[in-house]
């Protein structure tokens, strides 16, 4: 079945963070210039921010040009000796990654992002993405328009704190007529938590407020030009009907997926019988019910994704005593799967699709087992959950291996010219920047046992050097590990940067918009693979489960579940050399 149509070195007076080493030289076949490079080279955008409870307006000068030697280069500078804040670094890396994945722009580009003030907020992410897109398509950013909002890897504009203070600062600074804010934040909380009507504040300075849900909407207002609809399928303004997990004829569940779903659900049921954490046990039951519902609609691959989540949650719910020998065995078995990958590189899109599942789960198992060993030795509360989650991830990887054997070679040609090392380096560096941003805010606080996204992020961070060593001579393994690592940073970072919803404000409509954006962008990415002749059942399953998860509980941050299917789809497209028209 086709998919639905539907994140330094301080110098006096300036600080420059230079991240190099990406040898990226691909284009998906379109762009400002005939060779896919940028049409423009430099522009300046206003940046709204809050520091010490007071709003401010800064300028960001963005330049982009073909990089010498074909290496991606990102320099982030500011007029401050204290260094570029990790959250600013992360927002910049996510903006570049989003623009690259969404457009297919050539990443063999030298970027410079120069701020004339020190900012420590994700609120510059969306305007940075718009600026990169404007350079790519050769358009101009119109004067008098500002944008405050974060950005996700798949193009949604995410809520940010401090909007009342930022609007007041824009009035004081002058020169701004329109301020774009994330969908649902027309009424926002001030520093004291009180609701503020931004329209009323803006009106005192002769300005207007406009809500935007994705970078395409923001781009259209800031430049006066529309982005190609085929690339940026902006859903209608809220209220928007939520997508459904299926939207076409049901696919027949293959014996391979039936066995994988049965195995994962059996693991979940076995752990639930010994569960000691009632909250996690209930979440596992919800995921199990979701798996059964997806199975009934013929979404066997989606059912497997949901069932594997149920098994993970149940395993942690039952985590109590830990057998150190079992943790050692889990780590060794996961390492073997990763090592086997070097001798079994995929030769079709469908095999690559399953390979991403297997390698992602094996990387989870290895990282979690390694993290559990250290956490247990230090007496940290996250030790037992990490050990249980490692064992569940290993079982998921082994179920994936069985799927690979049962599904066969599949279809969809891979490109011999794809620079897998380069794309892997880009995603790996974005993951490092996002992790640094998360850690900078979390400080020394211990990882809570029940916060599974944070446990996974901490595990990947602790095992990063080991995983990079495994992939040193294997481009595909390196790309798969980088994809998994980056996808693991999105949910905990989104949760950490969540914004208070003022009393009396219903965020449902805005949440629905962001879910619709994530779904539609991921659907388009998967459809491009189907057009290349591949089934890519695992990434379609991840998408079906993400949609079922988000629509069942449309709460703030729900759209983060689309990070995994979108990233996997775009990585597969890169590996296949898929071109957009």
């Amino acid at each position: 079945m086709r998919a639905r149509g539907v994140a330094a070195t301080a110098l006096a007076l300036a600080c420059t963070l230079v991240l190099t080493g990406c040898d990226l030289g691909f284009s998906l076949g379109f762009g400002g210039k005939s060779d896919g490079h940028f049409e423009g080279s430099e522009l300046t955008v206003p940046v709204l921010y809050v520091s010490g409870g007071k709003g401010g307006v800064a300028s960001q000068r963005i330049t982009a040009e073909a990089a010498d030697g074909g290496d991606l280069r990102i320099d982030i500078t500011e007029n401050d000796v204290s260094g570029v804040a990790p959250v600013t670094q992360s927002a910049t890396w996510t903006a570049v990654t989003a623009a690259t994945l969404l457009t297919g722009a050539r990443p063999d580009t030298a970027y410079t992002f120069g701020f004339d003030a020190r900012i420590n907020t994700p609120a510059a992410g969306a305007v940075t993405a718009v600026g990169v897109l404007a350079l790519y398509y050769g358009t101009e950013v119109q004067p008098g328009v500002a944008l405050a909002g974060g950005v996700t890897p798949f193009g949604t504009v995410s809520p940010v704190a401090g909007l009342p203070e930022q609007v007041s600062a824009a009035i004081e600074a002058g020169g701004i007529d329109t301020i774009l804010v994330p969908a649902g934040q027309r009424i926002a909380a001030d520093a004291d938590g009180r609701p503020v009507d931004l329209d009323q504040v803006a009106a005192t300075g002769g300005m207007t407020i406009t809500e935007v849900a994705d970078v395409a909407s923001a781009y259209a207002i800031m430049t006066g030009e529309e982005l190609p609809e085929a690339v940026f399928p902006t859903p209608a303004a809220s209220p928007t009907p939520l997508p459904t997990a299926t939207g076409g004829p049901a696919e027949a569940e293959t014996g391979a997926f039936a066995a994988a779903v049965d195995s994962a659900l059996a693991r979940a049921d076995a752990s639930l019988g010994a569960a000691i954490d009632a909250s996690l046990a209930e979440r596992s039951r919800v995921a199990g019910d979701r798996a059964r519902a997806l199975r009934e609609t013929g979404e066997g691959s989606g059912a497997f994704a949901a069932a594997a989540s149920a098994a993970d949650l149940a395993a942690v719910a039952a985590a109590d005593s830990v057998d150190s020998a079992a943790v050692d065995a889990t780590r060794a078995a996961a390492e073997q799967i990763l090592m086997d990958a070097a001798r079994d590189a995929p030769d079709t899109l469908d095999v690559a699709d399953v390979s991403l599942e297997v390698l992602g789960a094996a990387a989870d198992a290895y990282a979690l087992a390694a993290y559990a060993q250290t956490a247990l030795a230090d007496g940290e509360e996250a030790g037992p959950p990490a050990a249980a989650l490692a064992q569940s991830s290993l079982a998921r990887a082994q179920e994936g291996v069985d799927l690979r054997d049962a599904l066969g070679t599949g279809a969809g040609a891979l490109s011999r010219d794809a620079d897998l090392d380069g794309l892997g380096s880009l995603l790996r560096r974005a993951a490092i920047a996002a992790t640094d941003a998360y850690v900078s805010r979390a400080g020394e606080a211990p990882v809570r046992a029940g916060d599974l996204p944070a446990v996974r992020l901490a595990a990947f961070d602790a095992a990063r050097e080991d995983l990079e060593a495994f992939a040193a001579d294997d481009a595909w393994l390196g790309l798969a590990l980088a994809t998994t690592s980056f996808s693991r940073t999105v949910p905990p970072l989104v949760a950490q940067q969540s914004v208070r919803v003022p009393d009396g404000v219903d965020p449902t409509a805005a949440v629905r918009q962001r879910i619709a954006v994530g779904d539609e962008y991921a659907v388009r990415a998967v459809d491009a693979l189907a057009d290349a002749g591949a089934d890519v059942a695992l990434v379609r399953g991840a998408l079906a489960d993400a949609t079922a998860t988000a629509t069942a509980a449309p709460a703030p941050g729900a759209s983060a579940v689309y990070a995994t299917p979108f990233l996997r789809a775009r990585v597969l497209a890169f590996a296949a050399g898929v071109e957009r028209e």
Side-chain angles (χ1 to χ4, degrees), residues 94-95 98-99 102 122 125-127 129-130 147-160 181-183 212-218 232-235 490 494 510-522 557-563 566:
T94 300
L102 287 166
V127 76
V130 169
L147 165 62
V151 67
T152 69
F154 44 89
T156 58
V157 175
S158 55
V160 292
V181 300
V212 290
D214 68 341
V215 293
S217 301
F232 297 89
T234 308
V490 176
V494 168
V511 171
R512 289 162 67 96
Q513 268 192 281
R514 282 187 282 274
I515 290 173
V517 170
D519 181 83
E520 188 69 17
Y521 279 36
S559 63
V561 297
Y562 288 103
F566 177 80

Side-chain angles (χ1 to χ4, degrees), residues 29-289:
F30 65 98
K33 289 187 176 181
S34 59
D35 65 356
H37 274 115
F38 287 73
E39 194 65 66
S41 61
E42 179 180 322
L43 56 78
T44 299
V45 293
V47 176
L48 305 182
Y49 67 98
V50 173
S51 178
K54 180 177 176 58
V57 181
S59 293
Q60 179 184 200
R61 184 172 61 89
I62 306 174
T63 66
E65 59 186 358
D68 294 337
D71 292 338
L72 174 71
R73 180 184 177 91
I74 291 183
D75 296 348
I76 309 174
T77 68
E78 64 178 27
N79 294 332
D80 194 288
V81 299
S82 56
V84 179
V87 71
T88 306
Q89 298 173 25
S90 177
T92 303
W93 271 98
T94 300
V96 172
T97 302
T100 299
L101 293 175
L102 287 166
T103 65
R106 293 177 63 104
D108 54 338
T109 301
Y111 295 96
T112 300
F113 301 92
F115 297 90
D116 64 1
R118 175 171 171 76
I119 63 171
N120 184 6
T121 171
V127 76
T128 300
V130 169
V132 172
L133 292 170
L135 287 175
Y136 178 61
Y137 287 107
T139 56
E140 298 290 334
V141 173
Q142 300 184 104
V145 184
L147 165 62
V151 67
T152 69
F154 44 89
T156 58
V157 175
S158 55
V160 292
L163 286 175
E165 293 79 10
Q166 294 174 54
V167 173
S168 296
I171 294 174
E172 183 178 347
I176 296 176
D177 304 314
T178 301
I179 297 180
L180 310 182
V181 300
Q185 286 201 283
R186 191 178 296 270
I187 296 178
D190 65 10
D192 297 320
R194 296 171 299 199
V196 175
D197 188 328
L198 299 184
D199 275 333
Q200 295 181 5
V201 177
T204 64
M207 298 188 304
T208 60
I209 300 294
T210 300
E211 295 184 336
V212 290
D214 68 341
V215 293
S217 301
Y219 178 95
I221 297 172
M222 294 194 76
T223 67
E225 302 284 344
E226 296 287 340
L227 287 167
E229 194 276 337
V231 183
F232 297 89
T234 308
S238 65
T240 296
L242 288 176
T244 57
T246 58
E251 60 175 320
E253 183 182 39
T254 67
F257 279 110
V261 174
D262 287 341
S263 175
L265 288 177
R267 290 193 289 115
D269 290 341
S271 295
L272 286 173
I276 57 177
D277 187 316
S279 176
L280 287 175
E282 178 58 26
R283 288 169 57 190
S284 174
R285 293 187 184 96
V286 169
D289 290 343

Side-chain angles (χ1 to χ4, degrees), residues 280 312 315-316 319-320 322 368 372 376 380-391 448-450 452 455:
L280 287 175
D312 285 349
V316 178
D320 187 9
V322 177
L368 286 161
L376 290 169
E380 297 178 11
E381 69 171 76
L389 197 54
Q391 292 178 321
R448 292 187 297 108
L452 304 195
V455 171

Side-chain angles (χ1 to χ4, degrees), residues 391-456:
Q391 292 178 321
S392 183
S393 297
L394 178 62
R396 181 173 184 166
Q398 293 169 333
E399 288 159 354
V401 171
D402 293 339
L403 276 173
R404 182 186 62 196
D405 296 339
L407 293 174
T409 59
L414 296 178
S415 172
R416 296 181 179 180
D417 298 326
D419 184 357
L420 305 184
D421 280 325
L423 184 59
S425 183
L426 172 60
L427 295 178
R428 177 176 59 83
R429 290 166 183 270
I432 292 172
T435 300
D436 289 346
Y438 179 88
V439 172
S440 71
R441 289 195 170 189
E444 298 299 322
V447 178
R448 292 187 297 108
D451 189 349
L452 304 195
V455 171
R456 283 194 170 100

